[in-house]
Amino acid sequence: MPVPLWLALVVLLAVAVGLQHLGLGRTSEAVSAFLTSSTVLFVPLITTVALRRAPGPPLWLAAVVATVGIWLMTGATPTGFGLGEALGLGCAVVFAVYLVAINVVVPRDDPWRLVCGQFLVTGVLMSIVGVVFGREPLAHAEAGLLLANGELWLELLLLLLLSTLLPFTLMTVYQPLTDPTRAALIYLVEPVIAAGYAYVARGHELGRLELLGVSLILVANGLVELWGARSRPQ
C-alpha cells in the first residue's frame, strides 16, 4: 500500500483525538460527549458522498434514533456555539472519516501494522499538542511525587491496556467485517456500558431522561440487528 494512504489513516485518528481533548477544555463534558457522538450521523453521510454507497433506510432511522438517545443521555443543552463546540463537532467529522477509512484501507494492508502505526503516530502528535497547548510544566518536586505514586502507574497501565490498546486493536482488525454506519451505532453502546459501570461501582443513578436515552440507543442497535437478520438469505 502507498505510504501516504497508510499515514492518512493514522493521522485522522490523531487529529480526532486532539480535537476532542482541546474541545473538552472549552465546553462542558455533556455537550462535548453529544457532539463527539454525532459521528453516527456523519458516517452515513460520508459513506453516501465519498463512496457513493448510501446506507439503507433502517440504518438512517437507527442513526437518528441513537442521536436523540445520546442527546437525552448526556443532558446536553444549547449553550451557544463557541470554540469548544466547534472543536467537538470537528472531532465528530474527522472521526467519522476515520471510521469510513478503516473499511477502505484495512482490507488492503496488514491490520496489525496499522494498529502499531496508529499508536506511534498518535503518541508523537499528541506529545507535540501537549507541549504547544499544555499548561505550565510541573516543578521537579511535583513530577517526582507523581512518578513515585504506585496507584498512578497502575491507573495508567489500565488506561493503556483496556481503554487504548485493546479497543483500537479490535476496531482496526474487525470493523472492516461490517458496515461503517452499523459500526458507529455499535460504538454508541459505550456510554451505556459506562453508565452501567458508574451505577455498579459508584452508585451513580440515571434519571428518567437519561434512562430514555439509554433505551433509544439500545433500540437503535436492535433495529439494525433485526433488519440485518431479516435481510440475510435463509
Side-chain angles (χ1 to χ4, degrees), residues 156-178:
L156 286 175
L157 180 62
L158 291 175
L159 287 172
L160 177 65
L161 295 178
L162 300 181
S163 302
T164 306
L165 288 175
L166 180 60
F168 279 101
T169 298
L170 293 175
M171 175 191 293
T172 304
V173 174
Y174 294 107
Q175 185 193 299
L177 301 180
T178 187

Side-chain angles (χ1 to χ4, degrees), residues 90-127:
C91 167
V93 174
V94 175
F95 195 67
V97 176
Y98 170 75
L99 291 183
V100 175
I102 285 180
N103 282 46
V104 175
V105 175
V106 172
R108 304 178 185 178
D109 203 343
D110 181 3
W112 298 103
R113 185 177 76 161
L114 291 173
V115 168
C116 294
Q118 286 182 128
F119 295 134
L120 177 62
V121 174
T122 301
V124 171
L125 292 181
M126 289 305 98
S127 297

